[in-house]
Amino acid sequence: MDAVIVCALPVFGVLMAAEFAWGLARGRNTYGFADTLASLSQGLLSQVVAACTQLIQIGLYTLAWPLLALTPHAALWHHWGGVALAVLLYDFCDYWLHRVSHESALFWAAHVVHHQSRRFNLSTALRQESAYALSGWMFFLPLAVVGVPPAQFAIAGIVVLFYQFWIHTEHIGSLGPLDRWLSTPSNHRVHHA
């Protein structure tokens, strides 16, 4: 999973540069040097820590899966529909982890770093908490219960993480009815405020 994120870093860099250029061209620069450096440094730190902690999260999931899965070999998980369902289920579990991270002091202590940016731009998305895998792994055990295989679990985690990158921008306005059903830049700005 970390190798995919490392390969995606140049894409993230190009998108951040494009957002910066767009902001300058429109007279709405959302980047500040110190804030962006802090976001990128925290993102780098979280990736260094993730080299170990992702082994814990995926390792614990892999250990729990054969013990908890009600349907461990269901054919559903080997088709595109199963992958899509795994992504939705992962996102649902991630929602509850995120919600608890805002309601519990212990979880907030791990999550607060993501909300400490004074700016809101794509670099803010990289400001990830380092203790996420250690503090939140148990929120994803329902995926093991319904039989999501460890490989699909990892893929779903990557898809949700990449989705969450693009919603950290001030340059995309309201998306109308989608704002009611999806996490979009518009409603995520409100969340960060």
Side-chain angles (χ1 to χ4, degrees):
M1 181 146 97
D2 294 325
V4 174
I5 293 171
V6 169
C7 292
L9 288 178
V11 175
F12 291 164
V14 167
L15 292 171
M16 286 185 290
E19 180 186 42
F20 175 68
W22 178 260
L24 285 179
R26 296 188 64 218
R28 284 191 60 221
N29 180 19
T30 58
Y31 282 83
F33 179 75
D35 193 70
T36 301
L37 184 61
S39 291
L40 296 177
S41 298
Q42 182 59 37
L44 179 62
L45 176 64
S46 72
Q47 284 306 297
V48 169
V49 172
C52 297
T53 58
Q54 281 300 320
L55 294 174
I56 294 169
Q57 181 177 357
I58 293 175
L60 289 173
Y61 185 89
T62 302
L63 289 173
W65 179 70
L67 301 173
L68 298 176
L70 299 176
T71 58
H73 303 293
L76 165 69
W77 305 115
H78 303 291
H79 299 303
W80 70 267
V83 174
L85 180 59
V87 168
L88 289 173
L89 292 172
Y90 188 101
D91 188 56
F92 180 74
C93 293
D94 190 57
Y95 164 81
W96 286 103
L97 170 57
H98 191 215
R99 184 168 176 163
V100 166
S101 295
H102 282 267
E103 295 176 354
S104 159
L106 178 65
F107 285 88
W108 177 248
H111 181 64
V112 69
V113 70
H114 181 67
H115 287 269
Q116 288 178 328
S117 179
R118 300 186 79 189
R119 308 273 184 137
F120 192 72
N121 55 51
L122 293 176
S123 76
T124 308
L126 302 180
R127 189 183 282 240
Q128 294 295 313
E129 56 270 6
S130 298
Y132 179 77
L134 297 174
S135 62
W137 63 271
M138 74 281 287
F139 282 83
F140 297 98
L141 290 179
L143 277 77
V145 172
V146 297
V148 176
Q152 307 301 41
F153 171 76
I155 290 168
I158 290 169
V159 170
V160 169
L161 184 68
F162 286 177
Y163 179 86
Q164 291 173 355
F165 176 77
W166 81 277
I167 64 175
H168 290 85
T169 185
E170 291 184 27
H171 295 290
I172 298 175
S174 174
L175 298 178
L178 291 179
D179 288 336
R180 291 183 178 188
W181 300 101
L182 300 173
S183 187
T184 63
S186 180
N187 59 36
H188 203 65
R189 280 191 296 274
V190 172
H191 170 72
H192 269 256

